[in-house]
Amino acid sequence: NMKTINYIYLILIGLLASNQVIAKVITVSNNPNSPGQYSSLQTAIDAALAKDTLYVAGSGLDYGNITITKPLIIIGAGAIPNKNLPLETYISSINYGYTSNNASSGSGSRLTGCAIANITFGTSSTYSNAISNIVLSRNKITNIYWNNGGQTIPYNNYLIENNVITNIFGNSIRFNNGIIKNNIINSVVLGVHGAGYWLFSNNVVLASFSSNRSATVTNNIFYVAYAASIADNLYCTFTNNILYAIEGTFDDNAFNTGTNSGTGNIINVDPNFGHYDSFETAIWSYSQSTPEVAPYVDFNLLDSSPGKKYGTDGTDVGLHGGSTPFVEGSPADSRYRYFPLPQIPQVLDVTIN
């Protein structure tokens, strides 16, 4: 009856209100001309409660080295934002760790729309747990590093998608139930200690993929400088990937040796990108000023590419296939092409009459 409906409605309103009390939004800006609630990102993190969201403004200034020991959502303005004022959210380093008594950790955090030099995921002081349940999306990251001190505890449940990443590296770790998809990546060395399972899908790898273990590797493009840079992988399954070296050639069974298995892979065939010079312009030197003139890197596949509609799901192999294709930062031939904005409302232009 109507009385019951009104009662249920009041309960729902109460639940929504209580949820708003529990999780709040905090603004951070170290630009004195455009202040937020906090100017220091670490101070804002220390003041935040678990599950709070921090909007970190683009300023062109470094937010420094930060440590996160509680689950937080951090959203920046973009790594190279295609906006009227293209100020990036830059952070020197982020360490996801545990409090000294292991009562709280950075597990359950999400990071999007930032440019970060180094991200480190740690373990508890007793080596009983490792940082898990992490989402990284739409960032520019120089190094992602897992360090468990040689222990066998697994890092579980990672989603890493739509990023531009120079290096992914784990120091003899166990990486389990992770998904790394639709990224531009220079080098991957991950998961070489003990069994685990993780999915590596629809990425473009530009330098090396070595010493990885227990991965399902599908629908990727490995466009590397040297054939020797794909080596020493164990217990991996390679399906419908394109493997091509600028110098040297791969054996036809390059993905199907030792403990690895492979099927449907295209070996020693150029993937035919829209435009590509070298991995230097694609990764660490790719900024607002380098390259200074077009044409810019374009990882879209030409119609002549063997990767068109060749993925295991019927979509393209590489960045623009799969269920979450890479979102380009600009539809034009632009240096902003591979730096998509975070998924929040953005002010792109302001016109003052």
Side-chain angles (χ1 to χ4, degrees), residues 190-207:
L190 183 61
V192 295
H193 189 101
Y197 168 82
W198 51 288
L199 174 67
F200 191 81
S201 177
N202 287 100
N203 301 284
V204 170
V205 177
L206 299 171

Side-chain angles (χ1 to χ4, degrees), residues 210-221:
S210 61
S211 298
N212 297 286
R213 180 168 180 152
S214 303
T216 296
V217 184
T218 181
N219 303 335
N220 303 281
I221 296 177

Side-chain angles (χ1 to χ4, degrees), residues 42 45-51 66-72 74 94-109 120 122-123 131 134:
Q42 186 64 65
I45 289 170
D46 294 341
L49 300 178
K51 301 299 183 180
I66 65 171
T67 297
I68 298 176
T69 57
K70 67 190 78 169
L72 296 174
I74 294 180
I94 301 176
N95 176 39
Y96 289 92
Y98 285 75
T99 56
S100 58
N101 60 358
N102 299 325
S104 175
S105 78
S107 292
S109 292
T120 303
T123 59
I131 295 295
I134 295 291

Side-chain angles (χ1 to χ4, degrees), residues 58-82:
S59 68
L61 302 174
D62 186 358
Y63 280 97
N65 304 317
I66 65 171
T67 297
I68 298 176
T69 57
K70 67 190 78 169
L72 296 174
I73 299 170
I74 294 180
I75 303 176
I80 297 182
N82 184 16

Side-chain angles (χ1 to χ4, degrees), residues 24 26 38 41-50 52 54 70 72:
K24 62 181 182 294
I26 298 172
Y38 292 88
L41 179 54
Q42 186 64 65
T43 301
I45 289 170
D46 294 341
L49 300 178
D52 280 353
L54 283 70
K70 67 190 78 169
L72 296 174

Side-chain angles (χ1 to χ4, degrees), residues 271-346:
N272 289 344
F273 293 130
H275 178 76
Y276 184 74
D277 290 319
S278 66
F279 65 86
E280 285 89 351
T281 58
I283 299 290
W284 55 75
S285 295
Y286 200 85
S287 67
Q288 290 181 334
S289 59
T290 306
E292 296 180 350
V293 295
Y296 300 94
V297 174
D298 181 1
F299 290 116
N300 287 284
L301 301 182
L302 300 177
D303 290 339
S304 58
S305 171
K308 294 293 289 185
K309 309 300 182 184
Y310 188 70
T312 54
D313 57 357
T315 64
D316 287 356
V317 171
L319 284 183
H320 300 97
S323 59
T324 55
F326 197 100
V327 179
E328 298 188 356
S330 170
D333 181 26
S334 165
R335 65 173 65 96
Y336 303 107
R337 184 189 297 274
Y338 288 106
F339 298 96
L341 295 173
Q343 293 173 296
I344 58 172
Q346 293 269 4

